[in-house]
Amino acid sequence: MTIPAHAMEAAYKRGVAGIHSSVEHADDNAPGWSERAYHFMVAFAASELTPWTVERFREWAMAQGLDKPAEERAYGAVTQRALRNGVMVRVGFAPAASSNCGAKPLYAQRGVNE
């Protein structure tokens, strides 16, 4: 069964809207949250030699003192920014507990495990 292109486009737009809404909410609840989260992600990416999921990053960042956002989708905006800025790259997929062992992207610092 093929999913129509317009359905995929609509789903993508809903996802983008959800990410933006979540990060705005996180910044409203804790001003500057997204900027702090981004700097944590830069530091994490620079220190990791093996691929990781955002789930693993979240655990590390909260252990380092980053506030937990109301919605974990807020990490999507941070992840997208780090990808755009070349902080890290997608290198594969792995199961994640946060999605009932569904496949989630694996990331690595640029040049490592690419």
Side-chain angles (χ1 to χ4, degrees), residues 10-20 73 80:
Y12 174 79
K13 287 179 180 179
R14 285 192 305 273
V16 169
I19 287 171
H20 289 297
R73 290 184 298 175
Q80 289 175 352

Side-chain angles (χ1 to χ4, degrees), residues 48-67:
E48 290 297 300
L49 298 177
T50 58
W52 71 89
T53 60
V54 170
E55 182 177 61
R56 194 164 109 215
F57 161 71
R58 284 193 314 249
E59 292 171 3
W60 176 87
M62 287 190 297
Q64 303 301 310
L66 182 65
D67 300 338

